[in-house]
Amino acid sequence: MDLDAVTKQSALHAKPDGLTLQYGTAGFRTKAEHLDHVMFRMGLLAVLRSKQTKSTIGVMVTASHNPEEDNGVKLVDPLGEMLAQSWEEHATCLANAEEPDLPRVLVDIGEKAAVNLHQDAFVVIGRDTRPSSEKLSQSVIDGVTVLGGQFHDYGLLTTPQLHYMVYCRNTSGRYGKATIEGYYQKLSTAFVELTKQTFCSGDDQRTLKVDCANGIGALKLREMKHYFSQGLSVQLFNDGTKGKLNHLCGADFVKSHQKPPQGIEMKSNERCCSFDGDADRIVYYYHDAEGQFHLVDGDKIAALISSFLKEPLLEIGDSLSLGVVQTAYANGSSTRYLEEVMKVPVYCTKTGVKHLHRKAQEFDVGVYFEANGHGTVLFSKAAEMKIKQLAKELEEDKKRKAAKMLENVIDLFNQATGDAISDMLVIEAILALKGLTVQQWDALYTDLPNRQLKVKVADRQVISTTDAERQAVKPPGLQEAINELVKKYRLSRAFVRPSGTEDIVRVYAEADSQENADSLAYEVSLAVFQLAGGIGERPQPGF
């Protein structure tokens, strides 16, 4: 490790004095102008991680659903997963090291992680469409090259596409070809195969309007749509030709504001969906005949997919376990529907895709979606082998058909991570196969009205939680206050949790009516403000 070269190069990517950042579930995120040093250092870290794992590591430059002026970076581990927890700590240490300490911190990480410095390193890099992303990805490349790492810069990619590339490269192409063409072909072939019987019947209703959040999803969906055009026609809105990334559009906007994005024309009962800025989240929605807006979020996506998968899994009769993983944000009605109507086991984990992903890996077939529309389906290696074997061997028609269907579903999901394009194709295939309209899908169960609010606090660490974030342990008295407030309303619950990236506390409340959910959310916000060191303006009723 040439520490003199690192020191020299680092001076060109100097860390601003006093700036402290933490690597969370979403990696690092902040204003783009504060990230140059972080990008350079994540290039260094990616080389060490690659040497340690003897694998290709990914670096994605994106801030997902954040405003356009923000940016961020996250590392992708060998099988397309989030960075390992112990390396998140290394990332935080390295990003926050003052300039003179950088060589020492780098050596410390190498020693703690038992990195063989003579091992070759290979890093792949992708970026979103933010104005700052190209320059920041060059800083990553500077970090990789100064430590002698090899790299491939894929340029503009969705986040899930980079995860896919990493997974492909580390499985010697068994998962798929590590090219954008390979990604398009793998997903679209599985989609066309899965839906071919449906579209032979002359169904010409398969048109979908897609809000691309003025982000990378528009670019990639435009390139890909001709691959599956015989089965699905997609119309792109907020495609980045005008309008700012994630501004008044995108999955996060639609979910949090419970209204359609700007820039999309909706007729009654038309299926519409929104991606977020880096295309790893998706939500659906429609207007009914009365002009009322209906959101079909991640909970309903999980319900649709798991109820669809249950049938062929039972049909092949190989007792493969199916489980759904949720967070505390899942609507209470969705949990009841899955457990009581569909008889599918449901598990709750802490918020953050790495927790859901880890829990889903415990099943033969694990379905996880956050309410915000981020999720996928994971098939264990054993389940995948069994299904593919049955698809080849079985002679009995119904069983073989079920196994073939599951085989196509396996290929259609991006099993490395949640992927808006992949999830969209799965949903469209299921709706077509089941002959369901978006209204019939929405009617699987009725969501309890809910409200999410944010409270600014001086230090988010004053709040700590347990029971998959559903109970506050600190500060003293807060959970008791929440319990008393919840008692006032029917079918109600509420919880609070600190943000992973900024000094705010997130409040969630649901109840039997929107008015009661709003009141409960306001009252809980007030309790947080008073007991957890709220700053700025006090929460107001009516928000």
Side-chain angles (χ1 to χ4, degrees):
M1 198 153 42
D2 186 345
L3 295 177
D4 286 342
V6 170
T7 303
K8 261 187 211 153
Q9 191 66 243
S10 183
L12 304 175
H13 303 278
K15 174 184 178 292
D17 284 341
L19 180 67
T20 306
L21 296 167
Q22 184 163 6
Y23 194 104
T25 299
F28 291 112
R29 275 187 206 168
T30 188
K31 292 278 173 269
E33 63 265 27
H34 297 149
L35 280 167
D36 182 45
H37 71 292
V38 174
M39 297 293 174
F40 171 73
R41 294 171 183 205
M42 289 310 98
L44 302 175
L45 193 72
V47 170
L48 293 185
R49 182 66 173 153
S50 176
K51 286 174 184 285
Q52 193 229 18
T53 58
K54 301 180 181 163
S55 304
T56 296
I57 295 295
V59 181
M60 184 69 201
V61 177
T62 182
S64 188
H65 55 277
N66 279 34
E68 187 170 274
E69 49 277 11
D70 289 359
N71 217 321
V73 60
K74 51 186 172 187
L75 270 65
V76 179
D77 254 359
L79 295 181
E81 334 92 308
M82 300 289 175
L83 185 62
Q85 182 87 45
S86 57
W87 280 75
E88 287 186 9
E89 288 160 28
H90 295 327
T92 299
C93 262
L94 193 60
N96 293 327
E98 296 305 334
E99 274 317 310
D101 302 328
L102 184 65
R104 180 186 54 77
V105 172
L106 210 51
V107 169
D108 282 356
I109 293 168
E111 286 173 357
K112 275 184 194 157
V115 176
N116 173 6
L117 296 173
H118 301 294
Q119 177 68 37
D120 288 343
F122 198 87
V123 178
V124 292
I125 299 147
R127 67 175 191 271
D128 70 11
T129 53
R130 290 162 200 272
S132 57
S133 290
E134 189 169 4
K135 185 171 181 296
L136 290 174
S137 68
Q138 186 53 54
S139 303
V140 174
I141 291 167
D142 290 351
V144 172
T145 51
V146 77
L147 278 189
Q150 300 293 304
F151 71 92
H152 179 79
D153 181 8
Y154 278 102
L156 292 165
L157 283 185
T158 70
T159 297
Q161 286 170 345
L162 186 77
H163 284 257
Y164 166 89
M165 301 304 173
V166 173
Y167 197 4
C168 290
R169 282 174 176 269
N170 289 315
T171 50
S172 310
R174 284 191 306 280
Y175 183 66
K177 277 165 84 174
T179 62
I180 196 66
E181 182 80 9
Y183 171 91
Y184 293 155
Q185 282 181 338
K186 182 178 182 188
L187 268 60
S188 55
T189 302
F191 174 75
V192 170
E193 193 63 30
L194 191 56
T195 55
K196 65 183 177 191
Q197 292 88 354
T198 315
F199 299 128
C200 291
S201 63
D203 176 1
D204 59 357
Q205 301 303 305
R206 312 309 305 175
T207 300
L208 176 67
K209 291 186 167 177
V210 186
D211 154 36
C212 298
N214 289 314
I216 182 69
L219 213 67
K220 297 302 167 184
L221 200 49
R222 187 178 290 115
E223 288 174 3
M224 185 182 184
K225 64 181 187 174
H226 72 271
Y227 284 84
F228 54 74
S229 55
Q230 68 194 74
L232 177 66
S233 165
V234 292
Q235 297 174 5
L236 309 188
F237 295 85
N238 297 318
D239 64 355
T241 51
K242 54 184 189 293
K244 281 177 78 174
L245 177 69
N246 295 323
H247 182 59
L248 304 177
C249 60
D252 198 55
F253 172 84
V254 173
K255 170 70 178 158
S256 51
H257 290 84
Q258 307 268 320
K259 65 180 184 185
Q262 286 193 1
I264 192 167
E265 306 142 23
M266 289 173 67
K267 296 186 186 130
S268 66
N269 295 326
E270 274 187 331
R271 265 186 348 280
C272 304
C273 70
S274 284
F275 294 178
D276 69 336
D278 64 340
D280 66 357
R281 295 182 183 189
I282 184 170
V283 295
Y284 273 69
Y285 45 92
Y286 65 98
H287 272 144
D288 64 23
E290 283 74 51
Q292 178 79 33
F293 175 78
H294 294 260
L295 176 69
V296 187
D297 66 4
D299 296 340
K300 284 224 164 115
I301 294 172
L304 178 76
I305 291 171
S306 50
S307 53
F308 171 76
L309 289 173
K310 193 179 173 187
E311 285 178 43
L313 285 168
L314 283 172
E315 187 62 56
I316 62 172
D318 220 72
S319 54
L320 295 173
S321 62
L322 171 66
V324 178
V325 188
Q326 298 182 327
T327 71
Y329 285 106
N331 195 279
S333 292
S334 76
T335 313
R336 276 192 287 278
Y337 171 78
L338 287 163
E339 289 183 329
E340 295 168 19
V341 180
M342 292 310 304
K343 309 289 187 217
V344 173
V346 178
Y347 299 84
C348 191
T349 70
K350 285 170 71 174
T351 305
V353 78
K354 64 183 174 190
H355 304 296
L356 290 142
H357 197 90
R358 203 172 295 137
K359 187 69 186 173
Q361 287 173 320
E362 294 176 18
F363 304 95
D364 291 316
V365 184
V367 180
Y368 73 84
F369 275 85
E370 294 180 285
N372 63 25
H374 189 287
T376 191
V377 175
L378 301 179
F379 289 79
S380 71
K381 281 284 157 277
E384 192 175 327
M385 281 169 66
K386 224 171 243 182
I387 288 163
K388 294 197 168 181
Q389 194 179 346
L390 290 170
K392 280 196 196 87
E393 290 175 6
L394 283 172
E395 286 184 25
E396 194 186 326
D397 266 6
K398 269 181 110 176
K399 275 193 174 184
R400 185 177 180 127
K401 196 176 169 189
K404 284 295 288 178
M405 186 182 282
L406 287 168
E407 186 177 37
N408 286 317
V409 170
I410 288 168
D411 286 342
L412 193 43
F413 273 110
N414 184 341
Q415 291 193 56
T417 187
D419 182 338
I421 294 175
S422 157
D423 294 341
M424 176 193 81
L425 292 174
V426 171
I427 291 161
E428 290 301 313
I430 294 172
L431 294 177
L433 287 162
K434 291 286 183 192
L436 289 174
T437 64
V438 68
Q439 302 90 312
Q440 289 167 322
W441 170 23
D442 188 29
L444 288 178
Y445 61 83
T446 304
D447 274 329
L448 283 168
N450 56 85
R451 179 65 64 193
Q452 294 185 45
L453 297 175
K454 294 187 256 195
V455 182
K456 281 189 178 175
V457 290
D459 178 9
R460 66 182 183 271
Q461 292 180 337
V462 300
I463 299 248
S464 71
T465 63
T466 187
D467 186 25
E469 301 177 312
R470 292 175 287 191
Q471 298 280 317
V473 181
K474 287 192 321 196
L478 179 58
Q479 188 57 49
E480 291 74 11
I482 293 170
N483 293 345
E484 287 306 309
L485 293 168
V486 163
K487 283 179 193 168
K488 292 166 58 178
Y489 303 97
R490 282 192 65 245
L491 297 175
S492 65
R493 68 183 182 104
F495 67 89
V496 302
R497 54 177 287 272
S499 160
T501 51
E502 48 192 325
D503 284 322
I504 58 171
V505 175
R506 301 187 188 280
V507 174
Y508 178 91
E510 64 184 33
D512 61 338
S513 71
Q514 192 62 58
E515 190 183 347
N516 286 345
D518 289 351
S519 296
L520 178 56
Y522 157 67
E523 289 168 349
V524 171
S525 296
L526 205 53
V528 169
F529 191 87
Q530 289 164 343
L531 296 170
I535 56 172
E537 200 180 327
R538 287 168 72 85
Q540 300 295 319
F543 327 114

